[in-house]
Amino acid sequence: MASGAGPSFPGCEKRGWTRKTGDHVTGKMAVFPWHSRNRNYKAELASCRLETVPLECGDYHPLKPITVTESKTKKVSRKGSTSSTSSSSSSSVIDPLSSVLDGTDPLSMFAATSDPAATGTVTDSSRKKRDKDENSFVGPDFEPWANKRVEILARYTTTEKLSINLFMGSEKGRGGAAASAMSEKVRTRLEELDDFEEGSQKELLNLTQQDYVNRIEELNQSLKDAWASDQKVKALKIVIQCSKLLSDTSVIQFYPSKFVLITDILDTFGKLVYERISSMCVDSRSALPDHFSPENVNDTAKETCLNWFFKIASIRELIPRFYVEASILKCNKFLSKTGISECLPRLTCMIRGIGDPLVSVYARAYLCRVGIEVAPHLKESLNKNFFDFLLTFKQIHGDTVQNQLVAQGVELLSYLPLYSPAMGWIFQCVSYHAPEALLTEMMERCKKLGNNALLLNSVMSAFRAEFVATRSMDFIGMIKECDESGFPKHLLFRSLGLNLALADPPENDRLQILNEAWKVITKLKSPQDYINCAEVWVEYTCRHFTKREVNTVLADVIKHMTPDRAFEDSYPQLQSIIQKVIAHFHDFSVLFSVEKFLPFLDMFQKESVRVEVCKCIMEAFIKHQQEPTKDPVILNALLHICKTMHDSVNALTLEDEKRTLAHLINGFIKMVSFGRDFEQQLSFYVESRSMFCNLEPVLVQLIHSVNRLAMETRKVMKGNHSRKTAAFVRACVAYCFITIPSLVGIFTRLNLYLHSGQVALANQCLSQADAFFKAAIGLVPEVPKTISIDGKLRPSEPFLLEFLCNFFSTLLIVPDHPEHGVLFLVRELLNVIQDYTWEDSSDDKIRIYTSVLHLLSAMSQDTYLYHIDKVDSNDSLYGGDSKFLAENSKLCEAVMAQILEHLKTLAKDEALKRQSLLGLSFFNSILAHGDLRNNKLNQLSVNLWHLAQRHGCADTRTMVKTLDYIKKRSKQPDMNHLSELALRLPLQTRT
């Protein structure tokens, strides 16, 4: 670059960059010329490194176990002496991690030492009891009733009108005086119960299902209210009334849901009674333990408990008497150890008196539910309920039931599924942790019954999946023998498929199982029945077969679901099929080679569903794709999927949804690599930019990817390819320069201009780098006062300060353009900073000027702190030219003038704290970068020191540390002048 005539500063005078300075102490104008101190960066770096100290290791090693010497002092009493002491020492090696390796638990050790009973005094009987409880525990693998409850209420609904009988009651006997004798009290309560059974009742007719549910919930609340107000008999009346409703099957389709609602009330009643009796066992001395025995129960509690059972025994009707007694089954624990085991068989036998098979099976289900909650180890009663049910199973197909169905206009196909919830629960309770022999016996008993499709379905639904899977061919044979009219075979195959999705059948049977099942499934005429079965068996196919079989299944699904656009009613099932396929095919080259996979996606015509499916596929790709790919099959398919997601974005799309879509598309872009075929890689990025232009995070990712591509190209392609490489790099730079203006975020654009300029500079594209930096400078005036971050408005000045500081670090190594004069980029940036409207309460503008002063000081050094390979910075171009240094100093003086002028404006009461902080900050800048051997600069630093302390706003600790640092530096070579400076920097004391 020519260095003849002195460079000019176009626009400096016009924009206020004249050489004026001010004395901030006296208020008079004075000149403070800037002199940068010469820096030896290597020496400074070496002085900052920690000193290496040789270590005599000897036997020491940081991982060696610690030896602890323990001293023990004992008092020894001897005859003829008052006392004496003897001490002994022992060395033991203690490893703080050894306790972990030994398996000891410090909390258990603490508990053992604090509780003498836990140190080995546990009796054999208590140990046996604990083992028994652990073995009978119902684990998390047992599906709770709460899950079944929700399913039943959602599935079994009705549009028919319902009725409910409400007890109106009479008030007889309530107006007289309370009986004094206990026998009189008991007689009165029995009369009240008789009054309930014989008294007047009101029947509510023509209730909708929701009205019925609301009324049942009101009864449940009435029960709680009556109990809370100590009206125990009224509470019992409500429970009896509700239990009677379970004998009503007038609207038979609603019976399973009615059972759930009524048993909720029974559960509430049972809990209230148990808690009531339990509270009577608590006195001021102790509470009833968790695992108590009848000996721990006082006589009053036992008498109350017996009284409840006597009341329930007086109920005349079988169904309410059974349900109410079953609800308080747990209370038998207060009376005897064998109370529950004696009561369960009796209640099981009571159910034999219920004639309606539907009412009977739900009564057995409730008894099994209560029994497994109260006494899960008593399996015999559960088994008895199961086998009793098998004995009465033929009643389902008897004349009585058939006549009832005809009267209500209910088909057998609609009636039999009503048994499924109760039978499923009974079978689940019986089969839970049951031995193999019992399960085999149960299956054989079911096989001997005719029309056993309903039983078979319940067996496959409740038994362990491993048990069913190993006998898959046996179950298929039983399914074939079932009568199609009673229970559809496709539902049986669906239940079988659910088991095979959890457990594997014998390997030799797998293909035959699939063929037998699909023969039935593919013949189904109803699209809904077909897709419900196909959804289940797709997973079995994916688990055990290749893409050929999966393709056949997908083709069959398309064939059945395309006519009459049946797929529109089955999006959840179709979506489940896609999820199962991609869950088993992690190799996407194999997945997309499945011929019918993409046509299957075409069935998702509803945009929201289609986008969800595309998101699911992309999530699987990002999760399972381990290596970058350039497979054209994968790229074409995923570009189509990503394009579908992108095109769903509109003005109403939420920001969270946009971020999710952008994240998935970016994950795909990151996994695309064409190796050293850089031109193909750039072509992919160009195509992606045109496809995903509405998602800003994707465009940002593309710009970063292109910048990385440019850097990688420069490293890999050298020598004879240098011209071709330069052209390619310029193409990458042009890509970024064209794309950045399309972004919305102001700081996103600023940072990308800076980053792309750095990449261009690193690739020796100097004119392109200048273009990026000029674009960034021209964008600074557009920065708004506030920006939105996570939906909240934030001041933009801190972000602008951060960006400019990063920009200054880059400008240090940017060479001057030969046609634009000395430091033209710095001067343009300073003009923009001066014209920018800053907040009056902010000092960020002065902080920026201080950073500029640091930059200019670094630019005046003979050798810069860092460089870019093959790029000559100004230290090489000017070589310490005096005219360049003079212009640099002039610019420094102009910047100093702005800083001092701002300090002068802060001489107000409300701004003194800011003046103190800025003054000390400027002092530190001069100390770090200025040559304090210059008298005027030295005097300026002293004035700043005094200014920082003038109004008592300075932090004394900071001032002390700063002065200590100056004294320490004065001892270094060529720093003697700092000793004199330190003497001129007094510390003010506060009085």
Side-chain angles (χ1 to χ4, degrees):
M1 175 175 177
S3 58
S8 61
F9 290 81
C12 281
E13 288 75 13
K14 180 178 68 175
R15 296 182 180 271
W17 287 103
T18 55
R19 293 180 55 194
K20 60 178 181 179
T21 57
D23 186 339
H24 55 281
V25 178
T26 63
K28 298 178 180 179
M29 302 301 294
V31 177
F32 289 105
W34 175 264
H35 292 269
S36 299
R37 71 182 181 91
N38 294 326
R39 308 284 294 272
N40 187 337
Y41 293 117
K42 291 183 179 180
E44 290 183 21
L45 179 62
S47 66
C48 294
R49 287 175 179 158
L50 296 177
E51 182 181 359
T52 302
V53 179
L55 177 64
E56 296 292 338
C57 293
D59 294 333
Y60 170 76
H61 191 276
L63 299 181
K64 186 176 180 179
I66 303 171
T67 301
V68 180
T69 302
E70 180 183 4
S71 297
K72 297 180 180 179
T73 302
K74 299 180 180 179
K75 288 189 177 181
V76 182
S77 175
R78 289 191 178 95
K79 185 177 181 180
S81 65
T82 55
S83 65
S84 64
T85 62
S86 67
S87 64
S88 63
S89 64
S90 62
S91 297
S92 61
V93 178
I94 300 176
D95 181 4
L97 300 180
S98 61
S99 59
V100 177
L101 300 177
D102 293 342
T104 57
D105 179 7
L107 295 179
S108 300
M109 295 172 61
F110 174 76
T113 56
S114 62
D115 184 8
T119 59
T121 60
V122 180
T123 62
D124 291 340
S125 60
S126 62
R127 184 179 294 109
K128 290 179 181 178
K129 181 178 183 299
R130 184 180 66 246
D131 294 341
K132 182 178 180 182
D133 290 340
E134 290 176 354
N135 292 334
S136 62
F137 178 73
V138 177
D141 55 336
F142 185 87
E143 185 179 8
W145 173 255
N147 294 359
K148 304 274 189 182
R149 178 187 183 280
V150 175
E151 295 175 6
I152 294 172
L153 290 175
R155 180 178 176 185
Y156 297 96
T157 59
T158 183
T159 57
E160 296 186 28
K161 297 300 182 179
L162 302 167
S163 62
I164 185 171
N165 291 324
L166 296 178
F167 168 67
M168 299 301 293
S170 66
E171 300 294 328
K172 74 176 183 180
R174 296 184 184 177
S180 58
M182 181 61 66
S183 58
E184 183 90 14
K185 184 177 181 181
V186 172
R187 189 185 312 113
T188 302
R189 290 188 174 179
L190 290 176
E191 288 176 356
E192 289 177 351
L193 290 176
D194 290 339
D195 176 37
F196 166 72
E197 295 194 14
E198 299 173 357
S200 59
Q201 296 187 7
K202 178 182 177 182
E203 186 176 17
L204 296 180
L205 303 175
N206 298 324
L207 297 177
T208 64
Q209 177 180 318
Q210 188 58 48
D211 293 337
Y212 191 93
V213 171
N214 293 340
R215 181 53 190 158
I216 295 298
E217 291 177 352
E218 290 175 7
L219 288 173
N220 198 356
Q221 186 59 44
S222 298
L223 167 65
K224 297 177 182 178
D225 295 341
W227 192 272
S229 60
D230 204 27
Q231 301 182 53
K232 304 297 188 297
V233 173
K234 180 180 178 181
L236 180 59
K237 289 178 181 180
I238 294 174
V239 175
I240 296 173
Q241 172 184 253
C242 293
S243 300
K244 283 186 175 184
L245 296 176
L246 291 175
S247 61
D248 176 23
T249 57
S250 57
V251 183
I252 203 165
Q253 301 96 324
F254 187 64
Y255 190 84
S257 292
K258 180 199 290 188
F259 170 80
V260 169
L261 297 171
I262 299 302
T263 51
D264 284 349
I265 296 179
L266 290 166
D267 293 342
T268 301
F269 177 73
K271 181 180 179 181
L272 292 173
V273 173
Y274 184 86
E275 291 176 350
R276 164 66 176 164
I277 300 173
S278 178
S279 65
M280 299 176 69
C281 301
V282 180
D283 55 27
S284 58
R285 292 173 296 175
S286 63
L288 196 65
D290 293 335
H291 300 285
F292 65 90
S293 63
E295 290 78 11
N296 302 120
V297 181
N298 57 46
D299 293 340
T300 303
K302 288 183 178 180
E303 182 180 354
T304 303
C305 184
L306 280 172
N307 188 30
W308 276 111
F309 281 108
F310 290 155
K311 289 178 182 177
I312 294 170
S314 67
I315 300 174
R316 298 173 184 176
E317 295 186 28
L318 173 61
I319 291 179
R321 184 167 73 249
F322 163 79
Y323 273 106
V324 178
E325 183 175 355
S327 69
I328 66 167
L329 179 66
K330 188 177 181 180
C331 294
N332 281 281
K333 294 171 62 177
F334 296 108
L335 300 177
S336 68
K337 294 181 179 180
T338 60
I340 294 177
S341 60
E342 294 171 354
C343 189
L344 279 173
R346 179 172 56 80
L347 291 174
T348 301
C349 293
M350 285 175 62
I351 300 175
R352 296 175 181 175
I354 301 176
D356 191 312
L358 184 64
V359 178
S360 172
V361 73
Y362 275 94
R364 296 188 188 280
Y366 184 69
L367 184 59
C368 289
R369 179 160 77 84
V370 175
I372 204 165
E373 290 175 0
V374 174
H377 58 284
L378 298 178
K379 293 284 189 178
E380 190 59 36
S381 64
L382 298 176
N383 300 341
K384 184 65 174 174
N385 271 285
F386 173 77
F387 291 117
D388 276 5
F389 167 72
L390 293 184
L391 292 175
T392 60
F393 180 72
K394 293 182 179 179
Q395 293 180 351
I396 297 175
H397 302 280
D399 294 339
T400 304
V401 173
Q402 296 301 321
N403 294 335
Q404 183 184 16
L405 296 182
V406 171
Q408 296 193 28
V410 178
E411 297 290 336
L412 187 62
L413 286 175
S414 302
Y415 174 70
L416 290 181
L418 301 177
Y419 286 82
S420 296
M423 291 173 58
W425 181 259
I426 295 172
F427 284 30
Q428 177 184 339
C429 294
V430 173
S431 62
Y432 184 68
H433 290 176
E436 197 83 0
L438 177 61
L439 297 179
T440 304
E441 178 187 358
M442 293 168 63
M443 192 179 77
E444 292 299 326
R445 293 279 292 271
C446 293
K447 189 186 298 186
K448 293 178 182 178
L449 295 174
N451 294 329
N452 62 349
L454 180 61
L455 281 174
L456 190 58
N457 187 67
S458 297
V459 166
M460 289 189 292
S461 300
F463 281 20
R464 292 192 297 271
E466 295 79 8
F467 178 88
V468 176
T470 55
R471 297 166 176 78
S472 297
M473 292 308 300
D474 293 338
F475 278 100
I476 288 177
M478 296 169 64
I479 292 172
K480 288 181 178 180
E481 296 174 1
C482 290
D483 183 9
E484 183 76 22
S485 61
F487 199 89
K489 287 186 179 180
H490 70 269
L491 294 181
L492 299 177
F493 274 107
R494 186 179 189 278
S495 298
L496 178 60
L498 289 172
N499 283 279
L500 296 181
L502 301 175
D504 298 333
E507 187 172 355
N508 297 332
D509 297 338
R510 291 175 183 174
L511 183 57
Q512 186 179 358
I513 291 171
L514 179 60
N515 289 333
E516 293 290 344
W518 211 259
K519 285 179 185 177
V520 176
I521 297 171
T522 194
K523 293 178 181 178
L524 294 174
K525 301 300 182 182
S526 168
Q528 199 61 40
D529 292 343
Y530 171 84
I531 196 63
N532 287 336
C533 284
E535 173 201 356
V536 173
W537 282 89
V538 162
E539 183 162 3
Y540 174 78
T541 308
C542 295
R543 280 168 64 96
H544 301 296
F545 299 98
T546 64
K547 69 174 185 178
R548 176 176 171 271
E549 289 78 11
V550 173
N551 188 65
T552 302
V553 171
L554 294 181
D556 195 60
V557 174
I558 295 172
K559 176 183 175 182
H560 280 79
M561 302 306 295
T562 302
D564 300 325
R565 300 179 67 88
F567 53 79
E568 292 182 344
D569 299 324
S570 305
Y571 282 138
Q573 293 89 338
L574 295 175
Q575 199 169 348
S576 175
I577 290 175
I578 287 291
Q579 291 172 346
K580 291 172 181 177
V581 171
I582 63 178
H584 290 88
F585 284 84
H586 297 165
D587 188 343
F588 279 77
S589 61
V590 175
L591 176 64
F592 291 125
S593 65
V594 176
E595 182 182 354
K596 295 298 181 180
F597 183 77
L598 292 179
F600 190 94
L601 294 181
D602 292 337
M603 287 195 294
F604 295 98
Q605 298 292 317
K606 188 177 180 181
E607 184 180 68
S608 60
V609 179
R610 184 169 66 250
V611 171
E612 286 301 318
V613 171
C614 292
K615 287 165 61 177
C616 183
I617 295 173
M618 293 309 303
E619 287 171 357
F621 176 80
I622 294 172
K623 179 179 180 181
H624 298 295
Q625 186 71 24
Q626 301 296 327
E627 299 293 334
T629 181
K630 61 178 180 179
D631 188 329
V633 175
I634 295 179
L635 297 187
N636 290 333
L638 291 184
L639 277 173
H640 171 71
I641 291 172
C642 290
K643 177 65 173 173
T644 300
M645 295 192 301
H646 169 270
D647 292 347
S648 68
V649 176
N650 54 46
L652 300 179
T653 305
L654 298 176
E655 290 299 322
D656 286 344
E657 178 69 8
K658 290 182 181 179
R659 279 193 290 267
T660 300
L661 297 178
H663 170 73
L664 295 174
I665 297 174
N666 286 340
F668 162 62
I669 292 173
K670 292 176 184 178
M671 295 304 297
V672 176
S673 174
F674 290 89
R676 294 196 175 186
D677 191 350
F678 299 123
E679 292 183 357
Q680 184 66 29
Q681 188 81 34
L682 183 59
S683 297
F684 169 77
Y685 292 145
V686 172
E687 182 181 4
S688 298
R689 180 179 61 185
S690 64
M691 296 178 69
F692 310 127
C693 57
N694 290 333
L695 289 174
E696 182 163 316
V698 178
L699 296 179
V700 173
Q701 175 62 44
L702 288 171
I703 294 171
H704 285 303
S705 298
V706 171
N707 279 327
R708 282 194 296 269
L709 181 64
M711 296 301 295
E712 185 179 356
T713 304
R714 197 70 184 181
K715 292 179 182 178
V716 174
M717 301 181 68
K718 298 178 181 179
N720 297 331
H721 301 282
S722 59
R723 291 184 178 178
K724 183 178 180 181
T725 302
F728 179 80
V729 170
R730 285 195 293 271
C732 293
V733 171
Y735 177 101
C736 298
F737 194 79
I738 293 171
T739 309
I740 293 175
S742 63
L743 304 178
V744 176
I746 185 73
F747 283 101
T748 302
R749 282 183 281 162
L750 284 171
N751 287 308
L752 285 176
Y753 274 133
L754 177 58
H755 181 222
S756 300
Q758 292 167 344
V759 171
L761 196 62
N763 285 278
Q764 296 92 52
C765 300
L766 302 184
S767 60
Q768 287 85 354
D770 284 347
F772 279 113
F773 297 144
K774 287 181 179 179
I777 294 172
L779 194 59
V780 170
E782 299 180 17
V783 175
K785 297 301 178 184
T786 58
I787 57 175
S788 177
I789 300 178
D790 296 331
K792 297 181 179 179
L793 291 179
R794 307 285 188 188
S796 62
E797 287 189 8
F799 299 95
L800 182 58
L801 175 63
E802 180 184 2
F803 165 76
L804 290 175
C805 289
N806 291 333
F807 199 0
F808 296 149
S809 299
T810 302
L811 291 179
L812 173 64
I813 52 175
V814 177
D816 283 340
H817 195 282
E819 298 178 0
H820 295 156
V822 175
L823 304 178
F824 74 100
L825 288 176
V826 177
R827 286 186 281 106
E828 286 189 13
L829 186 55
L830 283 172
N831 290 332
V832 168
I833 293 171
Q834 185 175 5
D835 289 344
Y836 187 81
T837 304
W838 300 88
E839 293 290 339
D840 294 336
S841 59
S842 171
D843 298 318
D844 287 335
K845 180 178 180 180
I846 303 307
R847 294 188 178 95
I848 292 172
Y849 283 152
T850 304
S851 297
V852 172
L853 202 59
H854 301 167
L855 169 64
L856 294 173
S857 176
M859 284 181 167
S860 67
Q861 303 300 316
D862 293 338
T863 302
Y864 289 171
L865 179 60
Y866 46 84
H867 295 85
I868 290 181
D869 187 34
K870 298 181 181 180
V871 174
D872 291 332
S873 299
N874 286 341
D875 58 342
S876 299
L877 293 178
Y878 293 106
D881 182 78
S882 58
K883 293 183 179 180
F884 169 76
L885 296 178
E887 295 299 334
N888 182 294
S889 296
K890 291 178 182 178
L891 201 55
C892 288
E893 292 170 14
V895 171
M896 288 176 62
Q898 293 291 325
I899 297 174
L900 295 174
E901 186 66 27
H902 183 77
L903 284 172
K904 184 178 178 181
T905 62
L906 297 179
K908 301 175 183 178
D909 292 341
E910 65 275 7
L912 294 178
K913 180 68 173 179
R914 291 166 55 197
Q915 187 187 58
S916 174
L917 292 174
L918 286 179
L920 182 59
S921 174
F922 191 27
F923 172 85
N924 288 329
S925 296
I926 296 175
L927 182 64
H929 300 278
D931 185 0
L932 291 174
R933 287 173 294 190
N934 180 273
N935 292 332
K936 292 186 177 180
L937 199 59
N938 191 298
Q939 181 60 43
L940 175 60
S941 65
V942 174
N943 292 343
L944 289 171
W945 180 268
H946 285 284
L947 178 66
Q949 300 184 96
R950 173 174 298 174
H951 300 286
C953 298
D955 181 17
T956 304
R957 180 178 299 180
T958 303
M959 304 299 287
V960 170
K961 289 184 177 180
T962 303
L963 188 57
D964 290 341
Y965 169 74
I966 295 172
K967 294 177 180 178
K968 183 178 180 180
R969 277 192 59 190
S970 66
K971 299 177 182 178
Q972 298 177 1
D974 300 329
M975 291 293 177
N976 295 332
H977 59 283
L978 293 182
S979 299
E980 299 177 1
L981 176 64
L983 296 176
R984 302 175 62 193
L985 302 178
L987 290 173
Q988 293 184 358
T989 58
R990 298 180 182 178
T991 57

